[in-house]
Amino acid sequence: GGGVNDMEVHVYISAGSRCPKKMRRKVSYSLMAGTVSGPKWRHGEMEMEATLHQAELAALTEALGRITRPCPLTIHTMSRYIAVTLMDGRAVQWAKSGWMTAKGEAVANRAEWLEVLKILKGRPFRVVLEG
């Protein structure tokens, strides 16, 4: 290890308002990669009509989609939904169970979770629940 390629990337996501209901909101993310010449930042922002969970997932998929090389990731989020789903392996379980919850209901935001799992597959990552 120790080469530029194992530099950790930090992902920060925000879904604008913390109100859970569907509404117009600004969604943003930041990526920070440590490089030899110091930290490099990238930001992105979009506006969308979405619930809090949809917005958080949109910010996450958008951010992860910009990471082009394999590297360890740390995802920083205030979203208990995202943190818990990723940390307890729930999303992977859903994928195995045909996207049904333990109660036998269809998983919400399946397309977004599929995208997140595809990007995270085989990457070392951790999740930090902020706030």
Side-chain angles (χ1 to χ4, degrees):
V4 174
N5 289 343
D6 356 66
M7 294 275 184
E8 191 173 11
V9 172
H10 291 265
V11 179
Y12 299 84
I13 60 169
S14 162
S17 162
R18 301 294 303 156
C19 168
K21 70 181 197 314
K22 189 167 193 152
M23 61 186 280
R24 191 108 193 107
R25 52 177 92 226
K26 260 201 171 68
V27 180
S28 60
Y29 64 85
S30 297
L31 298 171
M32 193 272 282
T35 68
V36 183
S37 55
K40 285 230 184 329
W41 286 88
R42 275 196 177 154
H43 306 281
E45 190 177 83
M46 52 201 167
E47 226 172 279
M48 64 193 305
E49 184 83 24
T51 65
L52 179 59
H53 289 171
Q54 287 166 340
E56 289 165 340
L57 275 169
L60 183 59
T61 47
E62 195 72 18
L64 293 177
R66 292 190 66 177
I67 300 169
T68 51
R69 55 187 175 70
C71 57
L73 295 175
T74 299
I75 298 165
H76 300 262
T77 178
M78 286 174 76
S79 169
R80 193 160 204 85
Y81 169 65
I82 284 184
V84 169
T85 303
L86 289 175
M87 289 191 292
D88 73 3
R90 195 174 303 174
V92 175
Q93 281 309 116
W94 287 337
K96 285 185 183 145
S97 68
W99 295 92
M100 289 302 198
T101 65
K103 294 180 187 153
E105 294 159 7
V107 170
N109 309 313
R110 169 186 171 170
E112 291 87 348
W113 279 116
L114 267 169
E115 194 58 31
V116 169
L117 287 182
K118 198 169 78 186
I119 297 166
L120 290 178
K121 195 179 174 72
R123 285 180 190 265
F125 73 91
R126 60 197 186 98
V127 183
V128 177
L129 187 57
E130 308 274 359

